[in-house]
Amino acid sequence: MANGEIPISNPPALPSRLPESVLELAVQIQRKPLPENVRKSLRDFQQAACYLAAAMIFLRDNVLLESDLQHEHVKPRLLGHWGTCPGLIIVQSHLNLLIRNHDLDMIYVIGPGHGAPAALAALWLEGSLEKFYPGEYDRNADGLRNLITRFSVPGGFPSHINAETPGSIHEGGELGYALAVSFGAVMDSPDLIVTCVVGDGEAETGPTATAWHAIKFLDPRESGAVIPILHVNGFKISERTIFGCMDDKEIVCLFSGYGYQVRIVEDLENIDDDLQGALEWALAEIKKIQKAARSGEPIAKPRWPMIVLRTPKGWTGPKVVDGKIIEGSFHSHQVPLPKANSDDSQLAALKDWLSSYNIRELIKDGKPTESVLSILPQNDEKKLGQLKSTYDPYTGLKAVEWEDFTVEKGTDQSCMQVTGEYLDKVFQENPTTIRLFSPDELESNKLNAILNHTQRNFQWDEYSRANGGRVIEVLSEHDCQGFMQGYTLTGRTALFPSYESFLGIVHTMMVQYSKFIKIAKEVRWRGDLASINYIETSTWARQEHNGFSHQNPSFIGAVLNLKAEAARVYLPPDANCFLSTVNHCLRSKNYTNLIIGSKQPTAVYLSQEDAHEHCRQGASVWHFASSPEPSRSSPSTTNPDVVLVGIGVEVTFEVIKAAELLRDLCPELHVRVINVTDLMILFAESKHPHALSKDHFIEMFTADKPLLFNYHGYPTELQGLLFGREGLHRMTVEGYTEEGSTTTPFDMMLLNRVSRFDVASRALRAGSEQSDKVKQQLDTYLNDISARVKDVRAFIAENGKDPDDMYEMPKFLKK
């Protein structure tokens, strides 16, 4: 059967089979009619903003319809999304009134990010565009013309909400993240309320589905609140939405079970009375919950308010065009009149549509009338586009000396355990400006020392509720990422530790956030922000009782693909370097930091002072492991036959053990050992600010000797970084090659060809081209190594574990 058009506008949901009694769960309030002057002001603001939003999509001239509309007045490329705009504008008008009446600190997060025309129209009316773009978008005729004609054209605002939009803390290019970001923003901001509109299409996404549970991690004693508004207009780009096909009973049951009180607003004839009453009710419920918590008698499992707003898609727009229903259908989603610049009937429809708003009665001489403006907050700093916490909020951390937590060189220490002790102190010194968001892996990842002086924060658990815990563990990487974004974008600092293999779940969220930060740095009125900080642990190399599914270092590549000025990837080789790196990242601004380490005890190669210098440089020659060892009179290893480079904890250990093996097996082979801790230094010097200069690169890595990299991630990533360096023919890269199982750690090294035996064999083969002595004995050396591999494999197969001496401290460190 052929696909047919839906024959009616704004079709209702099929009735459910739930009993009528469940509607008793829906909140019923006594509606109070608004004063007539307030109702008129709301309507005037809505009419003006709807006109501006529509005009932004269509008009290149004649922006106030002061002459007869012609084809040449319409933009040649019609870009933008109309369908969600009327609903967003209605909400924004009512939030203005709520802020005005209660002097609130409020942020408006718009989930339907392509609703930029709605946001920009309202921001122009309230004067926020004029504040941040003086001379461009002033509230006068020129500013109005610029607003309308520059939208979605080069040099103007894009079609989605981004960092150029005042008041925004959310990149609108990808759906699903708004709700989690909103909850992250209110944590540790007790006076802040975020109103978050979630589109019913967006509500179908996985990140949104899990973010509804965020109320269970919100302590009303220490944090603000979120008013979620599920905007049900029934359609997405070309199909009905799931929530649009759920009746009131189904929606009330769903969200009541999640822990909300649900107020449904759907009286289109009295929408202003209905919505303002619902917002006043929501605010009162929030105050009641917060008052109880802040007076020492918190409500267990409080039912937080939420609003379901049902309005037609594309409301107030064209009803029918060319025989197709527009308002109340998916045809209004983007551009309802796509041929308005060439088709006479569509041009006439556009004229009738725009004329219906009577814009010249609402904007005179380029200025909004008093009736349009009277619902706005009187204090400019409270306006939705001008709240300081949305654009210049950064609060730095009180410094903690990482050096106090360093460990002794030559011992075995867990990077994570040592770092956990340092972070415990950081959390003590900064009790309201840093949080950790993680899946339930803190203990597993050996960062649990953080919990020495704080707890987890889970309000539905009687043992962790209402205790001010700084750690939020939820088995949703999407929630962790969204919370971190909202918390960081409102000025604080956050950490996101995770199993390495599952950070890829938030790949696109990380990319969207980084795009927001890139634009924010180019916007002159936005201030700095703390960097977002990922800690990857439980790496593929040490999956003690997990298998192939837990072996995936691909998030490195995701970060490397960001702009150079944003991306930072660190692979500290030991606990002291890890401490230094985490300390640096917590103090850094505007970056996406990825730090990769091991939770298992591994060798500590460098003292506190050497670790600091090594991390400052990003890489260094490790003379203690190189051969022949340098003398005091000649402190550098000169003229090596081969250069071995370790990047990553476990693979660096294998490089060190390979150097140890080669020193015993083939002392005539001259080996230089290098560790790289800052991956970005390897870029060609024109491609990244951290890149080594050509001369420095040659000084360290030589100009012509074989260069053998043992790399934690996928080899192609490193090969891409090195592209642009001279002498690529002499460089080889080994790394993770998608070989694995539930097996021993050393067997993983063998399977992926990064073991000490593989490194030593590569070094001997490469060195044989540099040294005749090595060449003469090459087969003997390789046979010796093959025999060792055979013995180790046999031991693992028979005993199900690695040989006991496999992780003995390198002899170089025992001196």
Side-chain angles (χ1 to χ4, degrees):
M1 176 174 136
N3 183 38
E5 287 282 333
I6 294 173
I8 61 172
S9 173
N10 200 32
L14 289 172
S16 69
R17 297 181 178 274
L18 292 167
E20 292 296 319
S21 59
V22 301
L23 282 176
E24 295 176 9
L25 294 169
V27 173
Q28 303 296 328
I29 58 176
Q30 184 175 1
R31 191 184 303 169
K32 297 179 181 179
L34 291 166
E36 191 55 40
N37 64 320
V38 173
R39 185 182 293 108
K40 181 180 187 305
S41 185
L42 284 166
R43 287 294 173 91
D44 286 351
F45 184 96
Q46 294 160 14
Q47 292 281 99
C50 281
Y51 175 87
L52 295 176
M56 288 163 66
I57 295 171
F58 285 96
L59 298 185
R60 66 187 300 192
D61 201 355
N62 194 15
V63 297
L64 284 179
L65 302 184
E66 293 174 317
S67 63
D68 194 39
L69 193 63
Q70 304 294 323
H71 288 301
E72 57 266 27
H73 297 152
V74 182
K75 293 176 179 177
R77 296 178 71 234
L78 299 177
L79 302 173
H81 291 66
W82 164 251
T84 190
C85 286
L88 297 178
I89 286 168
I90 288 170
V91 171
Q92 188 148 359
S93 68
H94 281 269
L95 296 182
N96 288 330
L97 182 61
L98 195 70
I99 297 167
R100 188 199 75 175
N101 290 345
H102 296 277
D103 194 36
L104 301 175
D105 287 346
M106 181 174 282
I107 298 173
Y108 184 28
V109 172
I110 296 175
H114 281 292
L120 294 169
L123 291 168
W124 183 82
L125 289 171
E126 72 174 30
S128 292
L129 293 188
E130 182 174 27
K131 172 182 171 62
F132 292 111
Y133 298 93
E136 291 185 82
Y137 298 109
D138 297 348
R139 283 189 290 187
N140 57 33
D142 289 340
L144 177 63
R145 178 180 175 82
N146 289 340
L147 174 70
I148 290 173
T149 60
R150 290 182 182 179
F151 176 74
S152 273
V153 301
F157 287 111
S159 66
H160 68 279
I161 292 167
N162 74 342
E164 296 168 282
T165 310
S168 66
I169 59 166
H170 172 59
E171 177 75 20
E174 186 172 352
L175 297 178
Y177 315 148
L179 194 56
V181 167
S182 299
F183 278 99
V186 301
M187 291 176 184
D188 295 323
S189 291
D191 298 325
L192 180 64
I193 294 177
V194 175
T195 299
C196 178
V197 171
V198 179
D200 53 349
E202 177 183 22
E204 297 179 5
T205 65
T208 299
T210 192
W212 293 112
H213 294 288
I215 51 171
K216 296 156 189 168
F217 300 92
L218 198 66
D219 185 342
R221 180 173 61 86
E222 65 191 7
S223 294
V226 176
I227 302 176
I229 299 179
L230 176 62
H231 184 207
V232 182
N233 61 29
F235 291 89
K236 41 193 185 258
I237 194 166
S238 63
E239 167 69 297
R240 295 185 74 182
T241 63
I242 292 173
F243 286 90
C245 292
M246 295 171 67
D247 70 4
D248 289 352
K249 291 184 289 184
E250 290 163 327
I251 285 179
V252 168
C253 284
L254 175 66
F255 288 104
S256 295
Y258 279 173
Y260 292 93
Q261 297 182 74
V262 184
R263 169 65 184 167
I264 297 176
V265 175
E266 55 187 345
D267 182 356
L268 299 184
E269 293 298 318
N270 300 285
I271 192 71
D272 290 314
D273 293 345
D274 202 0
L275 182 55
Q276 193 61 30
L279 287 168
E280 290 283 355
W281 159 79
L283 181 61
E285 290 298 308
I286 287 169
K287 297 299 183 184
K288 180 175 70 176
I289 294 169
Q290 291 177 339
K291 182 179 179 181
R294 295 169 191 180
S295 63
E297 297 180 355
I299 301 168
K301 290 189 175 181
R303 295 184 63 208
W304 292 89
M306 72 166 289
I307 295 169
V308 177
L309 175 64
R310 292 188 184 272
T311 66
K313 187 94 167 181
W315 199 18
T316 74
K319 307 296 185 188
V320 178
V321 174
D322 296 335
K324 292 184 177 180
I325 296 170
I326 305 299
E327 182 188 89
S329 86
F330 68 83
H331 291 298
S332 66
H333 181 82
Q334 291 179 316
V335 179
L337 301 167
K339 300 178 182 177
N341 53 17
S342 60
D343 182 273
D344 288 341
S345 64
Q346 290 202 11
L347 179 68
L350 177 61
K351 178 182 176 181
D352 290 344
W353 172 20
L354 295 178
S355 297
S356 70
Y357 296 114
N358 299 313
I359 191 60
R360 291 200 300 278
E361 296 179 11
L362 303 173
I363 297 178
K364 298 181 178 180
D365 299 322
K367 297 181 183 297
T369 63
E370 180 57 32
S371 178
V372 171
L373 302 180
S374 67
I375 59 168
L376 294 175
Q378 299 303 303
N379 182 351
D380 284 346
E381 293 181 356
K382 298 286 188 175
K383 291 177 179 177
L384 289 171
Q386 299 182 40
L387 194 69
K388 192 172 185 292
S389 59
T390 64
Y391 69 90
D392 190 20
Y394 177 68
T395 302
L397 296 175
K398 180 180 178 181
V400 171
E401 299 298 327
W402 67 274
E403 294 89 348
D404 294 343
F405 299 87
T406 53
V407 290
E408 185 178 352
K409 173 183 173 181
T411 60
D412 282 322
Q413 302 285 346
S414 163
C415 296
M416 299 302 152
Q417 189 168 347
V418 171
T419 300
E421 293 168 359
Y422 162 72
L423 291 174
D424 173 39
K425 185 64 173 178
V426 173
F427 278 57
Q428 290 178 65
E429 295 296 321
N430 299 274
T432 61
T433 53
I434 184 170
R435 282 185 183 253
L436 183 143
F437 305 104
S438 173
D440 69 333
E441 298 159 353
L442 207 65
E443 299 273 354
S444 173
N445 282 329
K446 298 191 176 180
L447 286 165
N448 49 295
I450 293 171
L451 299 173
N452 287 345
H453 294 89
T454 188
Q455 297 186 41
R456 295 177 177 87
N457 191 322
F458 178 27
Q459 297 304 301
W460 276 35
D461 176 7
E462 62 183 303
Y463 303 108
S464 65
R465 62 184 288 267
N467 60 29
R470 313 306 300 156
V471 173
I472 289 183
E473 284 190 314
V474 54
L475 257 175
S476 165
E477 286 82 1
H478 293 124
D479 270 358
C480 294
Q481 175 73 24
F483 294 161
M484 176 170 67
Q485 290 182 195
Y487 197 71
T488 303
L489 284 166
T490 49
R492 287 70 61 77
T493 304
L495 289 159
F496 182 176
S498 176
Y499 280 15
E500 175 182 67
S501 54
F502 302 122
L503 265 181
I505 291 171
V506 298
H507 177 173
T508 56
M509 292 183 74
M510 180 272 294
V511 170
Q512 293 292 336
Y513 178 84
S514 297
K515 289 178 185 292
F516 188 95
I517 297 303
K518 174 187 181 297
I519 299 301
K521 290 179 68 178
E522 298 169 2
V523 175
R524 62 181 181 272
W525 46 268
R526 282 194 181 266
D528 289 328
L529 295 167
S531 300
I532 56 171
N533 303 294
Y534 301 96
I535 295 178
E536 270 189 11
T537 182
S538 295
T539 62
W540 65 266
R542 294 302 300 266
Q543 280 306 319
E544 307 305 306
H545 47 251
N546 294 305
F548 200 31
S549 64
H550 284 58
Q551 297 159 8
N552 179 0
S554 63
F555 198 65
I556 298 173
V559 176
L560 290 178
N561 286 332
L562 301 178
K563 296 288 288 185
E565 59 266 26
R568 300 290 185 270
V569 180
Y570 301 101
L571 295 102
D574 67 9
N576 287 340
C577 293
F578 206 91
L579 277 172
S580 176
T581 302
V582 170
N583 173 72
H584 166 76
C585 290
L586 290 179
R587 291 185 291 107
S588 69
K589 301 174 185 177
N590 306 315
Y591 298 141
T592 296
N593 293 320
L594 174 59
I595 317 164
I596 303 162
S598 177
K599 65 184 181 182
Q600 302 301 336
T602 53
V604 179
Y605 308 105
L606 303 179
S607 66
Q608 170 192 309
E609 295 79 9
D610 291 341
H612 173 74
E613 183 61 19
H614 180 60
C615 292
R616 187 188 68 81
Q617 294 184 25
S620 62
V621 177
W622 282 6
H623 298 295
F624 67 84
S626 302
S627 63
E629 279 194 275
S631 64
R632 291 188 178 181
S633 60
S634 178
S636 63
T637 308
T638 58
N639 198 29
D641 297 317
V642 295
V643 179
L644 308 182
V645 186
I647 311 177
V649 175
E650 293 87 1
V651 294
T652 292
F653 184 79
E654 293 305 308
V655 166
I656 301 300
K657 295 299 282 188
E660 180 183 61
L661 171 61
L662 289 169
R663 190 177 294 188
D664 291 338
L665 182 65
C666 183
E668 58 269 26
L669 183 69
H670 292 182
V671 176
R672 177 178 293 178
V673 174
I674 295 173
N675 175 262
V676 174
T677 184
D678 178 355
L679 198 56
M680 309 327 238
I681 67 151
L682 298 176
F683 271 112
E685 60 184 308
S686 63
K687 295 182 179 179
H688 198 279
H690 285 198
L692 292 179
S693 68
K694 178 180 177 181
D695 289 344
H696 194 182
F697 186 88
I698 290 174
E699 179 186 356
M700 184 179 297
F701 293 96
T702 77
D704 55 359
K705 299 302 181 182
L707 196 50
L708 314 181
F709 288 92
N710 220 36
Y711 174 53
H712 175 84
Y714 290 102
T716 52
E717 293 167 352
L718 194 58
Q719 291 163 355
L721 286 183
L722 293 166
F723 188 80
R725 293 290 184 183
E726 293 183 1
L728 288 177
H729 64 281
R730 67 190 176 98
M731 305 179 192
T732 63
V733 179
E734 293 293 346
Y736 179 68
T737 56
E738 287 292 332
E739 294 294 337
S741 179
T742 303
T743 186
T744 70
F746 192 74
D747 193 38
M748 283 297 296
M749 299 290 104
L750 291 170
L751 288 170
N752 289 278
R753 302 192 301 276
V754 291
S755 76
R756 64 201 66 178
F757 303 127
D758 295 288
V759 175
S761 296
R762 290 166 62 201
L764 288 165
R765 289 190 178 94
S768 70
E769 300 299 319
Q770 309 292 319
S771 167
D772 289 337
K773 291 183 180 180
V774 176
K775 189 172 186 179
Q776 292 170 5
Q777 296 295 317
L778 179 62
D779 288 344
T780 300
Y781 297 144
L782 294 178
N783 288 337
D784 183 294
I785 291 174
S786 294
R788 297 178 191 231
V789 171
K790 185 176 180 181
D791 289 345
V792 170
R793 287 190 185 278
F795 182 93
I796 292 172
E798 182 177 350
N799 296 279
K801 67 172 188 173
D802 293 328
D804 294 338
D805 62 351
M806 197 54 62
Y807 298 101
E808 282 190 353
M809 189 68 61
K811 290 184 294 185
F812 320 126
L813 299 176
K814 292 180 179 180
K815 297 179 180 179

